[in-house]
Amino acid sequence: REAERELVFAEFSEREGEVFTATVQRGGGYGGVVTLDLNGRASAVLPPPEQAITERYRPGMKMKVMILEVRRTPRGPEIVATRTHVDLVRRLFEMEVPEIYNGIVEIRGIAREAGSRAKVAVFAKQEGVDPVGACVGLRGIRIQNIVNELQGEKIDVIQWSKDESVFISHALSPAQPLRVELNNEEMSATVVVPDRQLSLAI
């Protein structure tokens, strides 16, 4: 048993940051720890801070999780998984979008409220490639697969720009700002939008 535990620790400690398909063994109820099975090879835990507030975990349910850390405990290795980390979104895009996996399109930033919404800023390293279109996919199929995996989390894919005022106006899409004024000293920006688009921008 000791040797078996050591094997599990050795295998999974090298795989922190990777995504696995897990099956819920035991739901934690409200605010409890969820126990997961990782393809029959090991058990993992999904503690409350790593659970999306909008998700409910039922025994037998399958979902993708990212290995956050593997630690030694007196009872053997404990594998901690996450559903809320921004890198889970990054890994799902790498799995779903070949252009990101191959390095043609790069994710420059992700902002996320787990379970609610996320914004992903992308940039094409190769001329003639539409980075947003590559991530969305034909008729939205690629982005829909990621949204389904995250149980309906809204994901906006926007084009990154090294010009900060352009980047900020992209980040507020679908609202269309009239102008963006940067204040570099305060690291803030004032954005002017048409009245009818105010709530959209917010």
Side-chain angles (χ1 to χ4, degrees), residues 118-134:
K119 284 199 184 246
V120 181
V122 293
F123 172 73
K125 290 166 126 183
Q126 197 171 302
E127 273 190 43
V129 174
D130 170 13
V132 175

Side-chain angles (χ1 to χ4, degrees), residues 2-190:
E2 202 55 51
E4 217 167 64
R5 286 173 176 170
E6 209 44 55
L7 277 173
V8 168
F9 182 82
E11 181 188 349
F12 284 92
S13 59
E14 289 178 2
R15 306 188 75 171
E16 287 179 2
E18 286 188 26
V19 170
F20 284 80
T21 299
T23 308
V24 176
Q25 283 181 321
R26 210 168 48 244
Y30 190 72
V33 174
V34 175
T35 311
L36 307 167
D37 173 56
L38 300 176
N39 305 339
R41 286 151 61 199
S43 287
V45 293
L46 190 67
E50 304 306 327
Q51 299 171 19
I53 50 169
T54 54
E55 294 181 344
R56 292 290 165 265
Y57 307 105
R58 294 173 301 282
M61 175 179 162
K62 285 192 184 307
M63 61 186 177
K64 287 191 166 58
V65 297
M66 192 182 88
I67 305 294
L68 190 61
E69 65 169 324
V70 182
R71 48 190 182 218
R72 293 180 192 274
T73 72
R75 295 191 311 279
E78 182 177 65
I79 300 167
V80 181
T82 179
R83 283 280 291 176
T84 59
H85 203 283
V86 291
D87 280 349
L88 175 62
V89 175
R90 187 184 297 275
R91 298 281 171 268
L92 291 174
F93 269 89
E94 286 170 1
M95 291 162 79
E96 203 60 51
V97 183
E99 289 86 344
I100 291 178
Y101 183 77
N102 296 329
I104 297 167
V105 172
E106 191 179 307
I107 294 177
R108 286 292 176 95
I110 300 174
R112 185 180 185 208
E113 290 173 14
S116 172
R117 58 191 176 165
K119 284 199 184 246
V120 181
V122 293
F123 172 73
K125 290 166 126 183
Q126 197 171 302
E127 273 190 43
V129 174
D130 170 13
V132 175
C135 293
V136 172
L138 197 62
R139 292 195 289 277
I141 190 77
R142 290 175 176 174
I143 197 81
Q144 197 53 53
N145 289 341
I146 298 169
V147 168
N148 292 345
E149 182 51 56
L150 296 175
Q151 296 192 21
E153 187 170 316
K154 290 185 178 68
I155 300 175
D156 285 338
V157 182
I158 59 167
Q159 185 146 354
W160 180 85
S161 169
K162 63 173 180 279
D163 181 332
E164 286 168 350
S165 56
V166 172
F167 184 30
I168 288 168
S169 82
H170 286 172
L172 290 172
S173 67
Q176 294 175 322
L178 299 171
R179 66 177 190 276
V180 176
E181 295 161 4
L182 297 177
N183 182 331
N184 290 322
E185 282 176 22
E186 291 181 13
M187 295 294 284
S188 66
T190 304

